[in-house]
Amino acid sequence: MTELVVDAGPERDPEHGERPVNPSRIAKSVRIDSRVVDAWCVWLGSLATDAEAALAAAIAYQELDGPARDAWLDALVQDSSRLKVPLIAVYAPLLAVESDPLRRRRITDALGPDDPAVAPRMVPRSLAGATKDGARIGVIIVPLYLDFVQVLVCAYRPTRGFEWVRHDPIVDRSRAPRVGDEVGGARVDASPIKSVVDELAITVLAHQRGGRALPEALRIFADLFVAADSGSVPPPST
């Protein structure tokens, strides 16, 4: 038997599709039978091809507290041998929303060596624009695996801080923002990723000097801001 923090089985979320966990009712680990494990493994397999399922996994995981996240990772270790999809398909959605350094390390260690067959099919890119009232809009699009990307969108003023930050952890690359799109009230155009990251790094400092906590999404992209100081900008660890 496998132990996992779950309720009696999958539920259907009208917005995000089936989800294997119900965070609002999770309280403790329960022993589950083989039929539920089979359904869990089938659902995990869908994360390799279904962006909505991958997003549902990211959202469900993000809603859990620390012990429940650990239980999810424990279950993946136990059940990974039963899966017929690359490990990155089941771990990348979690990594996209996990900011705890120890869990991020645990996830990346579980991924093992890179599999060329599931390498991202694009490179990181960025877009930028400005609203009529002078706020800057920055968009960073980072590949995850296959055709999936994560998108960070920020409205900010470099000398004041962030007005808002939006993080879409799993997006089909065909639905990611493009040149000429309107994002946050601004038309965005291609911009060198280092330029956008450098400007965001300056904004991070201004935001913190104002005594405000950084939005959680920016912590997930912390590697970008560290790299900006060193002169090279790799994608966030995924």
Short mmCIF file of all heavy atoms in Angstrom, two decimals, residues 16-81:
data_model
loop_
_atom_site.label_atom_id
_atom_site.label_comp_id
_atom_site.label_asym_id
_atom_site.label_seq_id
_atom_site.Cartn_x
_atom_site.Cartn_y
_atom_site.Cartn_z
N HIS A 16 -10.29 23.92 -13.13
CA HIS A 16 -8.99 23.32 -13.41
C HIS A 16 -9.04 21.83 -13.68
O HIS A 16 -8.01 21.19 -13.84
CB HIS A 16 -8.05 23.57 -12.22
CG HIS A 16 -7.85 25.01 -11.94
ND1 HIS A 16 -7.23 25.87 -12.82
CD2 HIS A 16 -8.21 25.78 -10.87
CE1 HIS A 16 -7.20 27.09 -12.31
NE2 HIS A 16 -7.79 27.06 -11.13
N GLY A 17 -10.23 21.23 -13.73
CA GLY A 17 -10.31 19.82 -14.04
C GLY A 17 -10.11 18.94 -12.82
O GLY A 17 -10.22 19.39 -11.69
N GLU A 18 -9.81 17.66 -13.05
CA GLU A 18 -9.67 16.74 -11.94
C GLU A 18 -8.43 17.05 -11.11
O GLU A 18 -7.39 17.40 -11.62
CB GLU A 18 -9.60 15.30 -12.45
CG GLU A 18 -10.94 14.79 -12.93
CD GLU A 18 -10.90 13.29 -13.17
OE1 GLU A 18 -9.80 12.72 -13.07
OE2 GLU A 18 -11.96 12.72 -13.47
N ARG A 19 -8.58 16.89 -9.80
CA ARG A 19 -7.47 17.12 -8.89
C ARG A 19 -7.38 15.94 -7.94
O ARG A 19 -8.39 15.46 -7.46
CB ARG A 19 -7.69 18.42 -8.11
CG ARG A 19 -7.78 19.64 -9.02
CD ARG A 19 -8.33 20.83 -8.28
NE ARG A 19 -7.41 21.24 -7.23
CZ ARG A 19 -7.63 22.28 -6.47
NH1 ARG A 19 -8.71 23.00 -6.62
NH2 ARG A 19 -6.78 22.60 -5.51
N PRO A 20 -6.20 15.44 -7.64
CA PRO A 20 -6.08 14.24 -6.84
C PRO A 20 -6.18 14.52 -5.35
O PRO A 20 -6.21 13.61 -4.56
CB PRO A 20 -4.67 13.75 -7.19
CG PRO A 20 -3.93 15.02 -7.45
CD PRO A 20 -4.92 15.95 -8.10
N VAL A 21 -6.20 15.77 -4.96
CA VAL A 21 -6.25 16.09 -3.55
C VAL A 21 -7.28 17.18 -3.32
O VAL A 21 -7.63 17.93 -4.22
CB VAL A 21 -4.88 16.60 -3.03
CG1 VAL A 21 -3.85 15.51 -3.12
CG2 VAL A 21 -4.43 17.83 -3.77
N ASN A 22 -7.80 17.24 -2.12
CA ASN A 22 -8.72 18.29 -1.73
C ASN A 22 -8.11 19.01 -0.54
O ASN A 22 -8.28 18.58 0.60
CB ASN A 22 -10.07 17.70 -1.36
CG ASN A 22 -11.10 18.77 -1.04
OD1 ASN A 22 -10.73 19.93 -0.81
ND2 ASN A 22 -12.36 18.41 -1.02
N PRO A 23 -7.36 20.08 -0.76
CA PRO A 23 -6.63 20.73 0.33
C PRO A 23 -7.52 21.18 1.47
O PRO A 23 -7.09 21.21 2.61
CB PRO A 23 -5.96 21.92 -0.36
CG PRO A 23 -5.87 21.52 -1.79
CD PRO A 23 -7.09 20.71 -2.05
N SER A 24 -8.77 21.54 1.18
CA SER A 24 -9.63 22.03 2.24
C SER A 24 -10.02 20.95 3.24
O SER A 24 -10.43 21.25 4.35
CB SER A 24 -10.90 22.64 1.64
OG SER A 24 -11.68 21.65 1.01
N ARG A 25 -9.88 19.67 2.84
CA ARG A 25 -10.28 18.61 3.76
C ARG A 25 -9.11 17.75 4.20
O ARG A 25 -9.30 16.78 4.92
CB ARG A 25 -11.33 17.71 3.07
CG ARG A 25 -12.64 18.45 2.81
CD ARG A 25 -13.79 17.48 2.66
NE ARG A 25 -13.60 16.56 1.56
CZ ARG A 25 -14.12 16.75 0.35
NH1 ARG A 25 -14.82 17.83 0.09
NH2 ARG A 25 -13.93 15.87 -0.61
N ILE A 26 -7.89 18.09 3.74
CA ILE A 26 -6.75 17.28 4.12
C ILE A 26 -6.37 17.56 5.57
O ILE A 26 -6.18 18.68 5.95
CB ILE A 26 -5.55 17.57 3.21
CG1 ILE A 26 -5.84 17.01 1.82
CG2 ILE A 26 -4.28 16.94 3.76
CD1 ILE A 26 -4.83 17.41 0.81
N ALA A 27 -6.20 16.52 6.35
CA ALA A 27 -5.80 16.72 7.74
C ALA A 27 -4.69 15.78 8.15
O ALA A 27 -3.86 16.12 8.98
CB ALA A 27 -7.00 16.52 8.67
N LYS A 28 -4.64 14.59 7.57
CA LYS A 28 -3.64 13.63 7.98
C LYS A 28 -3.45 12.59 6.88
O LYS A 28 -4.25 12.50 5.96
CB LYS A 28 -4.04 12.94 9.28
CG LYS A 28 -5.35 12.18 9.18
CD LYS A 28 -5.73 11.57 10.52
CE LYS A 28 -7.06 10.82 10.41
NZ LYS A 28 -7.43 10.19 11.70
N SER A 29 -2.39 11.78 7.02
CA SER A 29 -2.16 10.70 6.07
C SER A 29 -3.16 9.58 6.33
O SER A 29 -3.46 9.25 7.47
CB SER A 29 -0.74 10.14 6.22
OG SER A 29 0.20 11.06 5.74
N VAL A 30 -3.64 8.99 5.25
CA VAL A 30 -4.53 7.84 5.38
C VAL A 30 -4.02 6.76 4.46
O VAL A 30 -3.41 7.03 3.43
CB VAL A 30 -5.98 8.21 5.01
CG1 VAL A 30 -6.54 9.20 5.99
CG2 VAL A 30 -6.07 8.78 3.60
N ARG A 31 -4.27 5.51 4.83
CA ARG A 31 -3.86 4.40 4.00
C ARG A 31 -4.91 4.19 2.92
O ARG A 31 -6.10 4.16 3.21
CB ARG A 31 -3.70 3.13 4.84
CG ARG A 31 -3.03 2.00 4.08
CD ARG A 31 -2.60 0.90 5.05
NE ARG A 31 -1.56 1.36 5.94
CZ ARG A 31 -0.28 1.39 5.64
NH1 ARG A 31 0.13 1.01 4.44
NH2 ARG A 31 0.61 1.82 6.49
N ILE A 32 -4.50 4.11 1.68
CA ILE A 32 -5.44 4.02 0.58
C ILE A 32 -5.24 2.73 -0.18
O ILE A 32 -4.15 2.16 -0.19
CB ILE A 32 -5.30 5.23 -0.36
CG1 ILE A 32 -3.87 5.38 -0.86
CG2 ILE A 32 -5.72 6.50 0.34
CD1 ILE A 32 -3.67 6.55 -1.78
N ASP A 33 -6.31 2.25 -0.83
CA ASP A 33 -6.24 0.95 -1.48
C ASP A 33 -5.66 1.08 -2.88
O ASP A 33 -5.44 2.15 -3.40
CB ASP A 33 -7.60 0.26 -1.48
CG ASP A 33 -8.64 1.01 -2.32
OD1 ASP A 33 -8.26 1.63 -3.32
OD2 ASP A 33 -9.83 0.97 -1.95
N SER A 34 -5.44 -0.07 -3.50
CA SER A 34 -4.74 -0.11 -4.78
C SER A 34 -5.51 0.60 -5.89
O SER A 34 -4.91 1.14 -6.82
CB SER A 34 -4.45 -1.56 -5.18
OG SER A 34 -5.66 -2.28 -5.30
N ARG A 35 -6.85 0.61 -5.82
CA ARG A 35 -7.62 1.27 -6.87
C ARG A 35 -7.37 2.78 -6.87
O ARG A 35 -7.27 3.39 -7.94
CB ARG A 35 -9.11 0.99 -6.68
CG ARG A 35 -9.50 -0.47 -6.91
CD ARG A 35 -10.92 -0.71 -6.50
NE ARG A 35 -11.10 -0.45 -5.07
CZ ARG A 35 -12.28 -0.48 -4.45
NH1 ARG A 35 -13.38 -0.72 -5.13
NH2 ARG A 35 -12.34 -0.24 -3.15
N VAL A 36 -7.26 3.36 -5.69
CA VAL A 36 -6.99 4.79 -5.62
C VAL A 36 -5.57 5.08 -6.09
O VAL A 36 -5.31 6.08 -6.76
CB VAL A 36 -7.23 5.31 -4.19
CG1 VAL A 36 -6.90 6.79 -4.10
CG2 VAL A 36 -8.68 5.06 -3.76
N VAL A 37 -4.63 4.18 -5.73
CA VAL A 37 -3.26 4.35 -6.19
C VAL A 37 -3.20 4.28 -7.72
O VAL A 37 -2.51 5.08 -8.36
CB VAL A 37 -2.33 3.30 -5.57
CG1 VAL A 37 -0.92 3.42 -6.14
CG2 VAL A 37 -2.29 3.43 -4.06
N ASP A 38 -3.97 3.34 -8.30
CA ASP A 38 -4.00 3.23 -9.76
C ASP A 38 -4.52 4.52 -10.39
O ASP A 38 -3.97 5.02 -11.38
CB ASP A 38 -4.88 2.06 -10.18
CG ASP A 38 -4.24 0.71 -9.86
OD1 ASP A 38 -3.02 0.67 -9.62
OD2 ASP A 38 -4.98 -0.30 -9.85
N ALA A 39 -5.60 5.07 -9.81
CA ALA A 39 -6.17 6.31 -10.34
C ALA A 39 -5.18 7.47 -10.20
O ALA A 39 -5.04 8.30 -11.09
CB ALA A 39 -7.48 6.64 -9.62
N TRP A 40 -4.50 7.51 -9.07
CA TRP A 40 -3.48 8.53 -8.81
C TRP A 40 -2.38 8.45 -9.87
O TRP A 40 -1.96 9.47 -10.44
CB TRP A 40 -2.94 8.32 -7.40
CG TRP A 40 -1.59 8.84 -7.06
CD1 TRP A 40 -0.46 8.09 -6.88
CD2 TRP A 40 -1.21 10.20 -6.78
NE1 TRP A 40 0.60 8.89 -6.51
CE2 TRP A 40 0.17 10.18 -6.44
CE3 TRP A 40 -1.88 11.40 -6.77
CZ2 TRP A 40 0.86 11.34 -6.12
CZ3 TRP A 40 -1.18 12.56 -6.45
CH2 TRP A 40 0.17 12.51 -6.13
N CYS A 41 -1.92 7.23 -10.18
CA CYS A 41 -0.83 7.07 -11.15
C CYS A 41 -1.29 7.44 -12.57
O CYS A 41 -0.52 8.03 -13.34
CB CYS A 41 -0.30 5.64 -11.11
SG CYS A 41 0.63 5.26 -9.59
N VAL A 42 -2.52 7.10 -12.90
CA VAL A 42 -3.05 7.48 -14.21
C VAL A 42 -3.11 9.00 -14.33
O VAL A 42 -2.72 9.58 -15.35
CB VAL A 42 -4.45 6.87 -14.43
CG1 VAL A 42 -5.12 7.51 -15.67
CG2 VAL A 42 -4.35 5.37 -14.60
N TRP A 43 -3.57 9.65 -13.26
CA TRP A 43 -3.64 11.11 -13.26
C TRP A 43 -2.24 11.73 -13.38
O TRP A 43 -2.03 12.68 -14.13
CB TRP A 43 -4.33 11.60 -11.99
CG TRP A 43 -4.50 13.08 -11.97
CD1 TRP A 43 -5.48 13.81 -12.56
CD2 TRP A 43 -3.64 14.02 -11.32
NE1 TRP A 43 -5.29 15.15 -12.31
CE2 TRP A 43 -4.17 15.31 -11.55
CE3 TRP A 43 -2.49 13.89 -10.55
CZ2 TRP A 43 -3.57 16.46 -11.05
CZ3 TRP A 43 -1.89 15.05 -10.05
CH2 TRP A 43 -2.44 16.31 -10.30
N LEU A 44 -1.27 11.16 -12.66
CA LEU A 44 0.10 11.67 -12.76
C LEU A 44 0.61 11.56 -14.19
O LEU A 44 1.30 12.45 -14.68
CB LEU A 44 1.02 10.90 -11.82
CG LEU A 44 0.88 11.18 -10.32
CD1 LEU A 44 1.78 10.23 -9.53
CD2 LEU A 44 1.21 12.62 -9.99
N GLY A 45 0.25 10.46 -14.86
CA GLY A 45 0.70 10.28 -16.24
C GLY A 45 0.18 11.36 -17.17
O GLY A 45 0.85 11.72 -18.15
N SER A 46 -0.99 11.90 -16.85
CA SER A 46 -1.57 12.94 -17.71
C SER A 46 -0.81 14.25 -17.63
O SER A 46 -0.95 15.11 -18.51
CB SER A 46 -3.03 13.17 -17.34
OG SER A 46 -3.14 13.84 -16.08
N LEU A 47 0.03 14.41 -16.61
CA LEU A 47 0.75 15.68 -16.45
C LEU A 47 1.77 15.91 -17.56
O LEU A 47 2.23 17.02 -17.75
CB LEU A 47 1.46 15.72 -15.09
CG LEU A 47 0.60 15.50 -13.85
CD1 LEU A 47 1.41 15.77 -12.59
CD2 LEU A 47 -0.65 16.36 -13.87
N ALA A 48 2.12 14.85 -18.29
CA ALA A 48 3.11 14.98 -19.36
C ALA A 48 2.54 15.64 -20.61
O ALA A 48 3.30 16.18 -21.42
CB ALA A 48 3.68 13.60 -19.71
N THR A 49 1.21 15.60 -20.76
CA THR A 49 0.62 16.08 -22.01
C THR A 49 -0.52 17.07 -21.82
O THR A 49 -0.91 17.75 -22.76
CB THR A 49 0.08 14.90 -22.84
OG1 THR A 49 -0.86 14.15 -22.04
CG2 THR A 49 1.22 13.97 -23.26
N ASP A 50 -1.06 17.15 -20.63
CA ASP A 50 -2.25 17.97 -20.38
C ASP A 50 -1.89 19.18 -19.51
O ASP A 50 -1.64 19.04 -18.31
CB ASP A 50 -3.31 17.10 -19.68
CG ASP A 50 -4.65 17.82 -19.53
OD1 ASP A 50 -4.68 19.06 -19.57
OD2 ASP A 50 -5.67 17.13 -19.37
N ALA A 51 -1.87 20.35 -20.11
CA ALA A 51 -1.48 21.56 -19.38
C ALA A 51 -2.45 21.86 -18.25
O ALA A 51 -2.04 22.34 -17.18
CB ALA A 51 -1.40 22.75 -20.33
N GLU A 52 -3.75 21.58 -18.45
CA GLU A 52 -4.73 21.84 -17.39
C GLU A 52 -4.49 20.92 -16.20
O GLU A 52 -4.62 21.35 -15.05
CB GLU A 52 -6.15 21.68 -17.93
CG GLU A 52 -6.55 22.78 -18.92
CD GLU A 52 -8.00 22.69 -19.31
OE1 GLU A 52 -8.70 21.77 -18.82
OE2 GLU A 52 -8.46 23.54 -20.09
N ALA A 53 -4.15 19.66 -16.46
CA ALA A 53 -3.85 18.73 -15.36
C ALA A 53 -2.59 19.17 -14.63
O ALA A 53 -2.52 19.11 -13.40
CB ALA A 53 -3.70 17.31 -15.90
N ALA A 54 -1.58 19.60 -15.39
CA ALA A 54 -0.34 20.06 -14.77
C ALA A 54 -0.59 21.30 -13.91
O ALA A 54 -0.05 21.43 -12.81
CB ALA A 54 0.71 20.35 -15.84
N LEU A 55 -1.42 22.21 -14.40
CA LEU A 55 -1.76 23.39 -13.61
C LEU A 55 -2.54 23.00 -12.37
O LEU A 55 -2.31 23.55 -11.28
CB LEU A 55 -2.57 24.36 -14.46
CG LEU A 55 -3.06 25.63 -13.74
CD1 LEU A 55 -1.89 26.43 -13.20
CD2 LEU A 55 -3.91 26.48 -14.68
N ALA A 56 -3.47 22.06 -12.50
CA ALA A 56 -4.23 21.60 -11.33
C ALA A 56 -3.30 21.02 -10.28
O ALA A 56 -3.49 21.25 -9.07
CB ALA A 56 -5.26 20.55 -11.76
N ALA A 57 -2.27 20.29 -10.72
CA ALA A 57 -1.31 19.73 -9.77
C ALA A 57 -0.56 20.84 -9.06
O ALA A 57 -0.36 20.79 -7.84
CB ALA A 57 -0.33 18.81 -10.51
N ALA A 58 -0.13 21.85 -9.81
CA ALA A 58 0.60 22.96 -9.21
C ALA A 58 -0.26 23.70 -8.19
O ALA A 58 0.20 24.03 -7.08
CB ALA A 58 1.09 23.92 -10.30
N ILE A 59 -1.52 23.95 -8.54
CA ILE A 59 -2.41 24.68 -7.65
C ILE A 59 -2.71 23.85 -6.39
O ILE A 59 -2.68 24.37 -5.27
CB ILE A 59 -3.71 25.05 -8.38
CG1 ILE A 59 -3.41 26.09 -9.46
CG2 ILE A 59 -4.76 25.57 -7.40
CD1 ILE A 59 -4.59 26.39 -10.36
N ALA A 60 -2.99 22.57 -6.58
CA ALA A 60 -3.30 21.72 -5.44
C ALA A 60 -2.12 21.64 -4.49
O ALA A 60 -2.26 21.75 -3.26
CB ALA A 60 -3.69 20.32 -5.92
N TYR A 61 -0.92 21.47 -5.05
CA TYR A 61 0.29 21.39 -4.23
C TYR A 61 0.54 22.71 -3.51
O TYR A 61 0.90 22.73 -2.32
CB TYR A 61 1.47 21.02 -5.12
CG TYR A 61 2.80 20.92 -4.42
CD1 TYR A 61 3.18 19.75 -3.77
CD2 TYR A 61 3.69 22.00 -4.40
CE1 TYR A 61 4.41 19.65 -3.13
CE2 TYR A 61 4.92 21.91 -3.77
CZ TYR A 61 5.27 20.73 -3.14
OH TYR A 61 6.48 20.65 -2.50
N GLN A 62 0.33 23.82 -4.20
CA GLN A 62 0.59 25.13 -3.61
C GLN A 62 -0.32 25.40 -2.42
O GLN A 62 0.06 26.10 -1.48
CB GLN A 62 0.39 26.21 -4.68
CG GLN A 62 0.80 27.61 -4.25
CD GLN A 62 0.69 28.60 -5.39
OE1 GLN A 62 -0.26 28.56 -6.18
NE2 GLN A 62 1.66 29.48 -5.52
N GLU A 63 -1.52 24.83 -2.43
CA GLU A 63 -2.49 25.06 -1.36
C GLU A 63 -2.17 24.26 -0.09
O GLU A 63 -2.75 24.52 0.97
CB GLU A 63 -3.90 24.72 -1.83
CG GLU A 63 -4.43 25.70 -2.88
CD GLU A 63 -5.79 25.28 -3.41
OE1 GLU A 63 -6.21 24.13 -3.15
OE2 GLU A 63 -6.44 26.10 -4.09
N LEU A 64 -1.27 23.30 -0.20
CA LEU A 64 -0.97 22.43 0.94
C LEU A 64 0.01 23.10 1.90
O LEU A 64 0.82 23.93 1.51
CB LEU A 64 -0.37 21.11 0.45
CG LEU A 64 -1.25 20.27 -0.48
CD1 LEU A 64 -0.50 19.04 -0.91
CD2 LEU A 64 -2.56 19.90 0.20
N ASP A 65 -0.05 22.67 3.16
CA ASP A 65 0.95 23.12 4.12
C ASP A 65 2.22 22.27 3.97
O ASP A 65 2.26 21.34 3.14
CB ASP A 65 0.42 23.07 5.56
CG ASP A 65 0.00 21.67 5.99
OD1 ASP A 65 0.40 20.67 5.32
OD2 ASP A 65 -0.72 21.55 7.00
N GLY A 66 3.25 22.59 4.76
CA GLY A 66 4.54 21.91 4.61
C GLY A 66 4.47 20.40 4.75
O GLY A 66 4.95 19.66 3.87
N PRO A 67 3.89 19.86 5.83
CA PRO A 67 3.82 18.40 6.00
C PRO A 67 3.06 17.71 4.86
O PRO A 67 3.45 16.62 4.43
CB PRO A 67 3.10 18.23 7.34
CG PRO A 67 3.43 19.48 8.10
CD PRO A 67 3.46 20.57 7.05
N ALA A 68 1.99 18.34 4.37
CA ALA A 68 1.23 17.73 3.28
C ALA A 68 2.05 17.73 1.99
O ALA A 68 1.98 16.79 1.20
CB ALA A 68 -0.09 18.48 3.09
N ARG A 69 2.83 18.78 1.76
CA ARG A 69 3.71 18.79 0.59
C ARG A 69 4.75 17.68 0.70
O ARG A 69 5.06 16.98 -0.29
CB ARG A 69 4.40 20.15 0.45
CG ARG A 69 3.47 21.29 0.07
CD ARG A 69 4.24 22.58 -0.19
NE ARG A 69 3.33 23.69 -0.48
CZ ARG A 69 3.72 24.86 -0.94
NH1 ARG A 69 5.02 25.10 -1.15
NH2 ARG A 69 2.84 25.82 -1.18
N ASP A 70 5.29 17.49 1.89
CA ASP A 70 6.26 16.41 2.10
C ASP A 70 5.62 15.06 1.82
O ASP A 70 6.25 14.17 1.23
CB ASP A 70 6.81 16.45 3.53
CG ASP A 70 7.70 17.66 3.78
OD1 ASP A 70 8.28 18.19 2.81
OD2 ASP A 70 7.81 18.07 4.95
N ALA A 71 4.36 14.89 2.24
CA ALA A 71 3.66 13.63 2.00
C ALA A 71 3.46 13.39 0.50
O ALA A 71 3.58 12.26 0.02
CB ALA A 71 2.32 13.63 2.73
N TRP A 72 3.16 14.44 -0.24
CA TRP A 72 3.01 14.34 -1.70
C TRP A 72 4.33 13.85 -2.30
O TRP A 72 4.35 12.92 -3.13
CB TRP A 72 2.61 15.68 -2.27
CG TRP A 72 2.30 15.73 -3.75
CD1 TRP A 72 3.02 15.18 -4.77
CD2 TRP A 72 1.17 16.36 -4.35
NE1 TRP A 72 2.43 15.45 -5.98
CE2 TRP A 72 1.30 16.17 -5.76
CE3 TRP A 72 0.09 17.10 -3.86
CZ2 TRP A 72 0.36 16.69 -6.66
CZ3 TRP A 72 -0.82 17.61 -4.77
CH2 TRP A 72 -0.70 17.41 -6.15
N LEU A 73 5.44 14.47 -1.89
CA LEU A 73 6.74 14.07 -2.43
C LEU A 73 7.09 12.64 -2.02
O LEU A 73 7.68 11.89 -2.81
CB LEU A 73 7.82 15.05 -1.95
CG LEU A 73 7.65 16.50 -2.43
CD1 LEU A 73 8.73 17.39 -1.83
CD2 LEU A 73 7.69 16.57 -3.96
N ASP A 74 6.73 12.24 -0.80
CA ASP A 74 6.96 10.86 -0.36
C ASP A 74 6.20 9.89 -1.27
O ASP A 74 6.73 8.84 -1.66
CB ASP A 74 6.48 10.66 1.08
CG ASP A 74 7.36 11.38 2.10
OD1 ASP A 74 8.50 11.75 1.75
OD2 ASP A 74 6.89 11.58 3.23
N ALA A 75 4.96 10.24 -1.61
CA ALA A 75 4.15 9.37 -2.46
C ALA A 75 4.76 9.24 -3.85
O ALA A 75 4.75 8.15 -4.45
CB ALA A 75 2.73 9.91 -2.56
N LEU A 76 5.31 10.34 -4.38
CA LEU A 76 5.94 10.26 -5.70
C LEU A 76 7.14 9.33 -5.68
O LEU A 76 7.38 8.58 -6.63
CB LEU A 76 6.37 11.66 -6.16
CG LEU A 76 5.24 12.63 -6.53
CD1 LEU A 76 5.83 13.95 -7.02
CD2 LEU A 76 4.33 12.04 -7.59
N VAL A 77 7.92 9.37 -4.60
CA VAL A 77 9.07 8.48 -4.49
C VAL A 77 8.59 7.03 -4.53
O VAL A 77 9.17 6.17 -5.21
CB VAL A 77 9.85 8.76 -3.18
CG1 VAL A 77 10.90 7.67 -2.96
CG2 VAL A 77 10.51 10.12 -3.25
N GLN A 78 7.52 6.72 -3.81
CA GLN A 78 7.02 5.36 -3.74
C GLN A 78 6.42 4.89 -5.06
O GLN A 78 6.55 3.72 -5.43
CB GLN A 78 5.97 5.24 -2.64
CG GLN A 78 6.51 5.48 -1.24
CD GLN A 78 5.43 5.37 -0.18
OE1 GLN A 78 4.69 4.40 -0.14
NE2 GLN A 78 5.33 6.39 0.67
N ASP A 79 5.75 5.80 -5.77
CA ASP A 79 4.99 5.38 -6.95
C ASP A 79 5.66 5.69 -8.28
O ASP A 79 5.14 5.30 -9.32
CB ASP A 79 3.62 6.07 -6.93
CG ASP A 79 2.79 5.69 -5.71
OD1 ASP A 79 2.96 4.56 -5.23
OD2 ASP A 79 1.99 6.52 -5.25
N SER A 80 6.81 6.34 -8.27
CA SER A 80 7.43 6.76 -9.53
C SER A 80 7.79 5.59 -10.43
O SER A 80 7.76 5.72 -11.66
CB SER A 80 8.68 7.60 -9.25
OG SER A 80 9.63 6.86 -8.51
N SER A 81 8.08 4.44 -9.84
CA SER A 81 8.45 3.28 -10.66
C SER A 81 7.28 2.76 -11.48
O SER A 81 7.46 2.03 -12.46
CB SER A 81 9.00 2.16 -9.78
OG SER A 81 8.02 1.73 -8.86
#
